[in-house]
């Protein structure tokens, strides 16, 4: 079996995916047309040519503009359904997706419209495609804590649908400490917590995410490697890192895929996972992310199994389902590797 087939067939879990970042240009134009919104790009090719980023902020500006055409519950449903169909073709059996409510409520879309559209698609994905899911509500860190508190308030009546809260958007200058109180409140309401940290921001932000936000996973975490003490702590905790290789390349977090830190993380015993972040903008879903790191870092099939195992172990699903997936992965390994 070729390595490409091995990656394709391996059962996988995705733990770091922004649903707004799965908005493919074709669907974006279709939804914009149906809502009578004119995108500032002549056609799909012109839009795709704009996907050339020098840093996180340049990407975020385009990502928020794209999300601006989502108006109705059906729009959010279609967006989510398209993503689920895509990952179904790639043997992703479980996904934990972020949505950014403030991106939509700030432009007058009701919180309920957003969550109902996304959630109904996830339920259909579970029923029709067999994909299990966890939904994570993410606060935008470029906005203030008051806005985050308001968002937390709106989610309380949907508590049954959401497992965790996260923190994303412009990292540098917006440290985790800015959101300590709202994360305290979220944990008191029973939510787990995660946070983007150490993507562009320093290792100090990873410490803050651990110590102040009490996260169960670090999203990205690349820059943790700059601090040996932090690495030791992350290894001792077996703190999962949701690493996003193609994203790191496209946002120039790494200059060259051959110097991507993923292999080093595995060698150090860190609990790293592979994820797609914003696949429509960065040129690939799960399989493409696995493929690029395998080729660039010369990963072995054992490494790939380890990465997939890490993801199932780090997922927020109940223990029975976790064991079921881990045993599927074990069977896959025995048939194709041992
Ligand atoms: N929102 C969507 N993708 C993101 C990323 N990679 N970092 C921070 N915020 C994001
Ligand atoms: Zn992200």
């Amino acid at each position: 079996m070729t390595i490409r087939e091995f990656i394709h067939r391996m059962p996988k879990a995705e733990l770091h995916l922004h649903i707004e970042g799965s908005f493919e240009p074709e669907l974006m134009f279709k939804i914009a047309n149906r809502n009578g919104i004119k995108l500032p790009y002549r056609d799909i090719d012109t839009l795709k040519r704009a996907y050339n980023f020098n840093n996180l902020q340049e990407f975020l500006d385009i990502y928020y503009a794209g999300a601006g055409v989502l108006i109705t519950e059906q729009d959010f449903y279609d967006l989510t359904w398209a993503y689920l169909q895509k990952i179904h073709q790639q043997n992703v059996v479980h996904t934990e997706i972020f949505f950014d409510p403030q991106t939509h409520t700030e432009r007058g879309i009701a919180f309920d419209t957003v969550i109902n559209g996304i959630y109904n698609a996830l339920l259909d994905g579970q029923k029709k495609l067999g994909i299990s899911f966890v939904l994570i509500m993410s606060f935008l860190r470029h906005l203030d804590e008051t806005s985050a508190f308001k968002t937390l308030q709106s989610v309380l009546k949907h508590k049954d649908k959401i497992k965790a809260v996260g923190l994303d958007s412009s990292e540098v200058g917006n440290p985790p400490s800015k959101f300590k109180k709202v994360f305290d409140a979220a944990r008191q309401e029973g939510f787990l917590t995660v946070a983007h940290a150490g993507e562009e921001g320093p290792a100090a932000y990873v410490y803050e995410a651990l110590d102040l936000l009490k996260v169960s996973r670090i999203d990205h975490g690349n820059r943790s490697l700059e601090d040996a003490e932090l690495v030791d702590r992350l290894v001792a905790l077996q703190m999962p890192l949701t690493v996003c290789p193609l994203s790191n390349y496209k946002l120039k977090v790494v200059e060259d895929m051959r110097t991507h830190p993923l292999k080093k993380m595995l060698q150090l015993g860190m609990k790293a996972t592979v994820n797609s972040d914003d696949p429509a903008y960065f040129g690939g879903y799960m399989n493409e992310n696995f493929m690029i790191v395998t080729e660039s870092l010369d990963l072995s099939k054992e490494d790939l199994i380890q990465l997939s195992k890490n993801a199932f172990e780090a997922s927020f699903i109940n223990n029975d389902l976790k064991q079921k997936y881990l045993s599927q992965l074990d069977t896959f390994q025995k048939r194709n590797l041992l």
Side-chain angles (χ1 to χ4, degrees):
M1 194 192 301
T2 64
I3 198 83
R4 188 179 295 277
E5 278 171 349
F6 186 89
I7 288 170
H8 174 75
R9 289 195 203 169
M10 180 171 69
K12 292 170 289 287
E14 171 142 71
L15 305 180
H16 183 158
L17 177 283
H18 303 264
I19 198 62
E20 295 89 347
S22 72
F23 205 2
E24 291 287 349
E26 290 76 8
L27 185 60
M28 194 184 289
F29 267 90
K30 188 175 153 194
I31 291 183
N33 284 338
R34 129 178 139 194
N35 289 334
I37 297 171
K38 202 164 160 37
L39 284 162
Y41 303 95
R42 195 156 27 95
D43 52 29
I44 290 167
D45 284 340
T46 320
L47 173 61
K48 283 184 181 168
R49 274 199 292 277
Y51 293 178
N52 224 323
F53 316 111
N54 289 303
N55 52 48
L56 174 59
Q57 193 59 52
E58 285 187 14
F59 155 68
L60 289 171
D61 292 342
I62 289 192
Y63 160 92
Y64 294 128
V69 309
L70 298 162
I71 308 287
T72 66
E73 191 173 310
Q74 187 68 44
D75 298 342
F76 289 94
Y77 181 97
D78 291 350
L79 170 71
T80 310
W81 184 246
Y83 163 70
L84 291 166
Q85 283 180 302
K86 188 80 195 179
I87 63 166
H88 183 54
Q89 293 162 6
Q90 297 203 344
N91 290 316
V92 176
V93 294
H94 175 71
T95 187
E96 309 208 344
I97 73 174
F98 294 113
F99 74 117
D100 294 337
Q102 290 153 297
T103 298
H104 314 295
T105 52
E106 290 270 311
R107 44 185 191 89
I109 310 297
F111 187 93
D112 289 11
T113 302
V114 179
I115 192 165
N116 290 336
I118 295 171
Y119 196 75
N120 286 332
L122 288 169
L123 287 178
D124 280 350
Q126 195 162 43
K127 245 187 297 179
K128 297 177 185 165
L129 309 173
I131 300 171
S132 55
F133 67 90
V134 160
L135 189 51
I136 306 174
M137 175 179 88
S138 201
F139 299 119
L140 297 181
R141 68 204 304 160
H142 67 272
L143 300 178
D144 61 25
E145 201 181 35
T146 308
S147 173
F149 263 111
K150 230 171 86 187
T151 308
L152 180 62
Q153 212 53 42
S154 343
V155 84
L156 293 181
K157 76 169 173 167
H158 296 285
K159 233 170 154 177
D160 57 318
K161 305 185 180 76
I162 295 191
K163 185 84 185 163
V165 300
L167 187 64
D168 64 6
S169 192
S170 322
E171 187 182 6
V172 175
N174 296 299
S177 52
K178 181 175 161 186
F179 297 93
K180 183 188 177 316
K181 290 197 197 83
V182 75
F183 270 65
D184 281 345
R187 283 199 322 283
Q188 264 165 22
E189 291 290 348
F191 296 105
L192 294 172
T193 63
V194 296
H196 284 54
E199 180 185 18
E200 282 189 347
Y205 286 15
V206 178
Y207 279 106
E208 286 191 14
L210 296 172
D211 294 331
L212 305 180
L213 308 187
K214 318 269 189 224
V215 294
S216 300
R217 299 196 294 245
I218 296 284
D219 294 314
H220 295 291
N222 298 41
R223 291 192 61 194
S224 308
L225 292 183
E226 294 170 17
D227 185 319
E229 234 173 83
L230 178 58
V231 168
D232 287 348
R233 185 163 164 203
L234 294 170
V235 172
L237 288 170
Q238 283 296 286
M239 176 60 59
L241 305 179
T242 63
V243 180
C244 306
L246 277 171
S247 163
N248 293 157
Y249 182 64
K250 297 286 178 174
L251 300 185
K252 300 194 166 40
V253 166
V254 298
E255 233 170 78
D256 184 328
M257 278 310 293
R258 286 168 300 185
T259 59
H260 191 280
L262 184 72
K263 189 166 184 169
K264 179 114 190 275
M265 289 170 171
L266 288 179
Q267 285 166 344
L268 289 166
M270 299 171 95
K271 204 176 184 70
T273 64
V274 168
N275 307 274
S276 73
D277 206 6
D278 302 284
Y281 292 91
F282 301 148
Y285 289 75
M286 287 290 276
N287 287 354
E288 291 79 15
N289 273 278
F290 268 104
M291 197 63 207
I292 190 106
V293 281
T294 302
E295 284 180 335
S296 314
L297 303 172
D298 196 24
L299 297 184
S300 64
K301 288 179 178 170
E302 285 82 0
D303 292 329
L304 298 174
I305 295 279
Q306 183 68 54
L307 286 163
S308 188
K309 190 168 176 220
N310 288 351
F312 287 117
E313 286 176 351
S315 70
F316 292 153
I317 44 184
N318 68 51
N319 214 37
D320 284 354
L321 191 54
K322 199 178 274 194
Q323 291 313 320
K324 185 187 108 177
Y325 285 140
L326 286 168
S327 107
Q328 281 175 7
L329 184 64
D330 197 48
T331 304
F332 174 84
Q333 180 178 15
K334 287 194 176 112
R335 284 206 186 127
N336 297 295
L337 195 59
L338 303 178

